[in-house]
Amino acid sequence: MSAPRVHLLPLVPEALLALAVVVSAGWTLHVFLDVGYLPQPFVFDTNDTFMDWFNTAYWANNRGIYDVWRSIYPPLSFVFLDATSLPGCYLQSSFYARDCDWLARSTIYAFYVIDVVLAWICFRRLDRRTAPMRTVAIALGLPMLFTLERGNLILVAFAFFMIAHGPVTASKPWRWFAAAVTINFKPYLVLPMFAHALKRDWRTLEMAGLATIALYLVTLALVGSGTPMELASNTANWVVFQGGQVWNEVNYSTSYAPLLMFRTLDIPLLQFVPSRLIETIEFLVPIVIRAGQLLALAALAAAWLQPKALPAHRIAAILLGAYLVTQSPGGYTQLFLIFLVLMEKWKGAGPITAIVCAYLLCLVGDWPLATVLDVTGTSWLGERTVTASFGLTAGHFIRPGLIVIMVGALSLDSIARVVHAHRSEQPSLGLVPA
């Protein structure tokens, strides 16, 4: 009678972590119903819900995508949004379109459901016992809910990401196509694909690369703009623009790097936190970032020597995690990393540590440390005027640290696995599958 209990013991921590995610989501819902807006780390512009989607869709239905709006999105985003919107709703502002375009709103909700279903399929095929908990973490976790509230195209890209990197299908052409879609939606998602290079899976890398180029050329022809030169120029302009948006970057970040720009803020920071804390941050943050990068680099070098020792999703997680430790393309990008980490088995100190960090990153809400600003405006979700309070929170310091720990734990475990494999097999330095 004792054997089943031992078998179920590893499920208890995950069940408790998943329950914590559900409770945190319920608490956030309670706060929303009470005050009329979503608390931090959700965006402090309470009237901006879904506007990542509708601001982009506005330009998909009007001229000036790359020369007026200076978009950094490849053309696929605009082809997709043009096909899933009602053109008559975009004759005025993007805010008017949000209330008018039922098709676009339905598409947002539909892809949320699709993402949850695909996550369930992936986790169930990997381990039926842990699938419910991990699906709950994805469905009700902060990265997914933040993405949903923003209406970001990550909702669409994530579905194809799971097809490309998860056990949704065994069809290689479909996986190549899905990888091409993810990269054309979010170019930084090319990084996880380099796992196939370290695995010596050259055919997958080549075919996915060709599919990516082909899809880009087709959508470029359909849009009529979005050339590599336009994208490069607009990206340079975007980097300068983001330099003036430090608070937005710090609010929900994957990296400690935005904290280093605190000194450039107009906000009198010393009124809210001690100067010694700021000095400590400025001293420790570069060390933490470099340590995470070095561990990831060592693990990737080890993976190159012993490509059989590590699964592709582990290498993909380290590649993407190293990028997110270095800089933050937005807190919702954690969704991709968390999915890759939750494909790990609850076995060994490194994977268990990473999985726990993934669950903690899914907790919804934050712990305020000091109020910096109060913003009065209309809450689109609450349908009323609200005064939203935002400021420094514990999450600003904890979440980037959890990602560093996650990447470090997987990297150290990977190095250990490679060392173990090296004892029984010589390293493979050739250009053919090991």
Side-chain angles (χ1 to χ4, degrees):
M1 296 297 292
S2 61
R5 293 181 181 178
V6 174
H7 184 66
L8 291 174
L9 276 179
L11 300 182
V12 175
E14 285 209 53
L16 292 175
L17 289 166
L19 178 61
V21 173
V22 174
V23 170
S24 68
W27 174 84
T28 299
L29 177 60
H30 170 74
V31 171
F32 166 73
L33 294 175
D34 182 41
V35 300
Y37 66 92
L38 293 170
Q40 280 185 276
F42 292 97
V43 177
F44 58 80
D45 186 347
T46 57
N47 191 42
D48 208 50
T49 298
F50 289 167
M51 292 313 294
D52 279 10
W53 188 286
F54 286 97
N55 284 331
T56 310
Y58 175 85
W59 291 101
N61 287 273
N62 292 278
R63 295 181 179 180
I65 296 173
Y66 295 101
D67 55 349
V68 178
W69 195 42
R70 305 294 299 274
S71 175
I72 62 171
Y73 296 144
L76 176 61
S77 297
F78 300 97
V79 172
F80 174 82
L81 290 171
D82 183 46
T84 56
S85 60
L86 302 176
C89 293
Y90 295 86
L91 302 178
Q92 300 182 39
S93 70
S94 53
F95 288 94
Y96 173 82
R98 179 178 57 183
D99 295 323
C100 170
D101 193 348
W102 61 266
L103 176 59
R105 294 195 306 274
S106 299
T107 304
I108 293 173
Y109 303 139
F111 267 95
Y112 172 78
V113 174
I114 290 170
D115 287 344
V116 173
V117 170
L118 288 176
W120 166 253
I121 292 172
C122 288
F123 295 141
R124 189 171 185 273
R125 290 179 177 176
L126 290 169
D127 187 347
R128 293 191 176 191
R129 301 173 308 154
T130 60
M133 290 83 81
R134 299 186 181 193
T135 303
V136 164
I138 290 290
L140 298 180
L142 177 59
M144 177 66 88
L145 295 184
F146 189 93
T147 304
L148 176 63
E149 191 276 337
R150 299 307 309 133
N152 195 278
L153 283 169
I154 282 177
L155 280 172
V156 184
F158 185 51
F160 289 94
F161 185 84
M162 288 186 282
I163 295 172
H165 297 276
V168 174
T169 178
S171 171
K172 290 185 177 180
W174 274 111
R175 292 169 72 94
W176 300 335
F177 173 74
V181 173
T182 64
I183 295 169
N184 273 274
F185 270 123
K186 303 292 179 182
Y188 56 80
L189 292 180
V190 70
L191 291 171
M193 288 304 297
F194 286 128
H196 295 285
L198 296 178
K199 294 286 290 182
R200 314 292 204 277
D201 185 5
W202 301 112
R203 179 169 175 77
T204 294
L205 195 62
E206 291 167 0
M207 296 306 294
L210 290 173
T212 299
I213 295 171
L215 183 59
Y216 169 71
L217 292 176
V218 170
T219 54
L220 175 64
L222 290 173
V223 174
S225 57
T227 64
M229 291 299 295
E230 287 176 312
L231 292 174
S233 174
N234 291 351
T235 299
N237 178 73
W238 180 82
V239 170
V240 173
F241 172 77
Q242 285 298 103
Q245 304 292 315
V246 180
W247 183 252
N248 288 336
E249 289 293 294
V250 172
N251 185 51
Y252 189 31
S253 176
T254 65
S255 171
Y256 280 122
L259 284 173
L260 295 177
M261 297 187 290
F262 252 144
R263 290 288 195 183
T264 66
L265 288 173
D266 294 331
I267 298 173
L269 198 59
L270 292 178
Q271 292 183 10
F272 305 101
V273 295
S275 60
R276 181 170 294 181
L277 175 59
I278 298 176
E279 293 168 358
T280 302
I281 290 172
E282 292 177 336
F283 173 75
L284 289 179
V285 163
I287 297 175
V288 171
I289 291 175
R290 293 293 176 267
Q293 291 171 331
L294 289 174
L295 279 175
L297 184 61
L300 295 173
W304 173 259
L305 294 176
Q306 290 287 354
K308 287 184 178 180
L310 302 174
H313 71 262
R314 165 73 66 85
I315 303 173
I318 294 174
L319 282 163
L320 182 58
Y323 169 69
L324 297 183
V325 165
T326 304
Q327 63 180 13
S328 177
Y332 32 39
T333 54
Q334 296 174 35
L335 190 58
F336 302 110
L337 179 60
I338 288 172
F339 170 74
L340 293 172
V341 170
L342 291 181
M343 290 176 67
E344 295 281 342
K345 295 180 180 179
W346 186 276
K347 182 179 180 181
I352 290 175
T353 299
I355 292 170
V356 170
C357 288
Y359 276 104
L360 294 178
L361 287 169
C362 288
L363 293 176
V364 188
D366 220 326
W367 179 15
L369 300 177
T371 299
V372 174
L373 70 160
D374 294 307
V375 181
T376 301
T378 301
S379 170
W380 186 77
L381 283 175
E383 298 182 329
R384 55 175 160 139
T385 299
V386 299
T387 299
S389 297
F390 293 89
L392 290 175
T393 69
H396 295 160
F397 305 97
I398 295 174
R399 290 191 185 94
L402 289 173
I403 293 181
V404 172
I405 294 171
M406 179 188 295
V407 175
L410 290 179
S411 298
L412 289 172
D413 181 78
S414 299
I415 294 170
R417 289 193 187 190
V418 169
V419 170
H420 178 75
H422 183 75
R423 292 174 179 173
S424 57
E425 182 180 343
Q426 292 298 313
S428 175
L429 300 176
L431 299 180
V432 295

